[in-house]
Amino acid sequence: MAGKNTQELRINQNSNNFGNDLSTAVETNESHLLILEDDQGRKEFTLENPVYSLGRDRESNIRLVSQFVSRRHATLVRLPRYNNTQSYYYRIVDGDGQGKPSANGFIINGRKMPAHDLKNEDEIVFGPKIRAIYYLLKNTQRSGQTDASEYDITLINPSMTDDIEEI
């Protein structure tokens, strides 16, 4: 019973500080990305919301397609970084986020654990052939600024390629 209460505390701690404000990713110049591989192939998710449910259930925010995954396998929770109120990280917690664990748990970077604060390139294994990699991308440009090379577009006339092949 103590484990259940501890898990609830892990999720609820400071999880409402950002509400539904999606502007924090823009302000911090960070992007949170989850690359998922399951029975249907590879999918990419940009993480912006405060909470995500992961599992086999059709109602999950991030659906894991595999018979080896629980309906409510894990929960991602966005939490503020202690040294910077504009920056945040994601914590993954086993189960539905209300204290009910998944059947088999998950493995982070080769170690089975009930919860983990995600860091860049952490690998999460949910079951056989079901895994995800978390990326924390630091954007080097501030919003509103663009690089001139972004607009450097070279157009090639299709007739030019015919001439090259004939030579």
Side-chain angles (χ1 to χ4, degrees), residues 11-60:
I11 291 175
N12 293 329
Q13 174 189 4
N14 298 324
S15 62
N16 293 327
N17 286 2
F18 288 100
N20 289 324
D21 182 14
L22 299 181
S23 65
T24 55
V26 175
E27 293 171 8
T28 60
N29 294 320
E30 291 179 348
S31 297
H32 301 263
L33 193 64
L34 192 69
I35 307 293
L36 174 70
E37 293 176 14
D38 64 11
D39 288 353
Q40 288 189 333
R42 185 180 171 125
K43 298 174 225 159
E44 184 176 307
F45 297 90
T46 301
L47 303 176
E48 297 174 332
N49 294 334
V51 178
Y52 290 89
S53 59
L54 292 85
R56 199 177 69 234
D57 192 317
R58 291 188 183 278
E59 301 297 315
S60 294

Side-chain angles (χ1 to χ4, degrees), residues 57-68:
D57 192 317
R58 291 188 183 278
E59 301 297 315
S60 294
N61 302 114
I62 299 175
R63 189 152 181 248
L64 306 173
V65 180
S66 171
Q67 64 182 356
F68 299 106

Side-chain angles (χ1 to χ4, degrees), residues 1-162:
M1 195 68 174
K4 179 180 176 182
N5 292 337
T6 305
Q7 192 173 40
E8 287 178 20
L9 285 174
R10 285 186 192 131
I11 291 175
N12 293 329
Q13 174 189 4
N14 298 324
S15 62
N16 293 327
N17 286 2
F18 288 100
N20 289 324
D21 182 14
L22 299 181
S23 65
T24 55
V26 175
E27 293 171 8
T28 60
N29 294 320
E30 291 179 348
S31 297
H32 301 263
L33 193 64
L34 192 69
I35 307 293
L36 174 70
E37 293 176 14
D38 64 11
D39 288 353
Q40 288 189 333
R42 185 180 171 125
K43 298 174 225 159
E44 184 176 307
F45 297 90
T46 301
L47 303 176
E48 297 174 332
N49 294 334
V51 178
Y52 290 89
S53 59
L54 292 85
R56 199 177 69 234
D57 192 317
R58 291 188 183 278
E59 301 297 315
S60 294
N61 302 114
I62 299 175
R63 189 152 181 248
L64 306 173
V65 180
S66 171
Q67 64 182 356
F68 299 106
V69 175
S70 296
R71 282 189 293 269
R72 292 175 184 89
H73 202 96
T75 304
L76 281 173
V77 181
R78 184 176 70 191
L79 298 169
R81 292 193 192 281
Y82 296 109
N83 60 351
N84 184 346
T85 57
Q86 298 299 320
S87 181
Y88 60 89
Y89 65 97
Y90 279 90
R91 175 177 292 159
I92 187 165
V93 179
D94 182 38
D96 66 358
Q98 305 300 315
K100 183 179 179 188
S102 65
N104 297 316
F106 51 74
I107 297 171
I108 307 279
N109 302 326
R111 295 181 61 204
K112 187 169 182 165
M113 48 184 66
H116 178 75
D117 293 344
L118 292 171
K119 295 170 191 62
N120 189 43
E121 297 185 7
D122 276 348
E123 180 185 44
I124 308 151
V125 177
F126 299 99
K129 299 181 183 176
I130 311 301
R131 71 183 198 122
I133 298 179
Y134 168 80
Y135 292 98
L136 174 58
L137 306 173
K138 305 276 187 183
N139 301 333
T140 56
Q141 296 179 9
R142 294 185 182 184
S143 59
Q145 294 181 336
T146 57
D147 187 324
S149 66
E150 187 174 319
Y151 298 105
D152 184 17
I153 300 172
T154 304
L155 299 177
I156 299 174
N157 185 335
S159 66
M160 292 172 59
T161 57
D162 293 338

